[in-house]
Amino acid sequence: MNDTSSRPDAGRDRDEAGRARQARPRDALGRPLPYGAEGVEPVSEEPLPPLETIAEARRLLAEGRPFSAHEVLEARWKDCPAAERPLWQGLAQLCVGLTHAARGNAVGARRLVERGAGRLEGYAGPEYGLDIPALLACARRHTT
């Protein structure tokens, strides 16, 4: 078992309900950095409304931060109506695939993009202005 009691921020990795929280700094691709190191600004763990979620994920992707985009989409996925879960989970998985690709893990990248594609290709709910086939084509181009 790892003893974290000597860490200056011991106990901050979980909230009062025991849920994991973003206490450890991360680089732009979501890789954990040593405690005390300077990482990228973490994204909020609070879910945003659908159109704001999409705008924020696009901004983060444009900044080269697919892991952070995944976190924004994941927050929405965990808070959305059940019928929309395939959309948000699929989009989050595309971003994880892009993260793996940027980290040099081609096999993991393809697997996650295809897992996300499976959720998105069968999705029949609101798309909030997204062009799902174009998103899938783009993700596949970046992971092949």
Side-chain angles (χ1 to χ4, degrees), residues 94 109-119 121 140 143:
L94 293 184
R110 285 189 298 275
R111 283 183 183 155
L112 264 295
V113 164
E114 289 311 312
R115 197 173 296 155
R119 290 183 186 345
E121 288 169 338
R140 286 174 171 140
T143 57

Side-chain angles (χ1 to χ4, degrees), residues 133-144:
L135 289 173
L136 294 174
C138 180
R140 286 174 171 140
R141 275 193 311 275
H142 283 86
T143 57
T144 55

Side-chain angles (χ1 to χ4, degrees), residues 16-135:
E16 297 79 27
R19 290 179 298 235
R21 292 296 179 216
Q22 302 174 30
R24 191 166 177 186
R26 297 192 176 262
D27 72 7
L29 294 177
R31 293 175 289 223
L33 297 170
Y35 285 97
E38 188 172 329
V40 296
E41 183 71 25
V43 297
S44 172
E45 295 181 35
E46 295 301 315
L48 298 170
L51 294 177
E52 289 178 43
T53 298
I54 292 166
E56 181 65 0
R58 282 183 167 150
R59 181 186 71 77
L60 290 162
L61 286 167
E63 290 179 4
R65 296 179 58 190
F67 182 81
S68 295
H70 143 264
E71 289 182 317
V72 168
L73 292 161
E74 184 177 60
R76 180 82 212 132
W77 149 35
K78 290 180 177 181
D79 193 61
C80 72
E84 292 184 17
R85 284 192 187 126
L87 172 69
W88 302 110
Q89 188 175 22
L91 293 171
Q93 287 175 320
L94 293 184
C95 289
V96 174
L98 295 173
T99 300
H100 280 293
R103 291 178 180 174
N105 178 1
V107 172
R110 285 189 298 275
R111 283 183 183 155
L112 264 295
V113 164
E114 289 311 312
R115 197 173 296 155
R119 290 183 186 345
L120 293 169
E121 288 169 338
Y123 179 68
E127 296 180 4
Y128 300 101
L130 295 171
D131 182 344
I132 303 268
L135 289 173

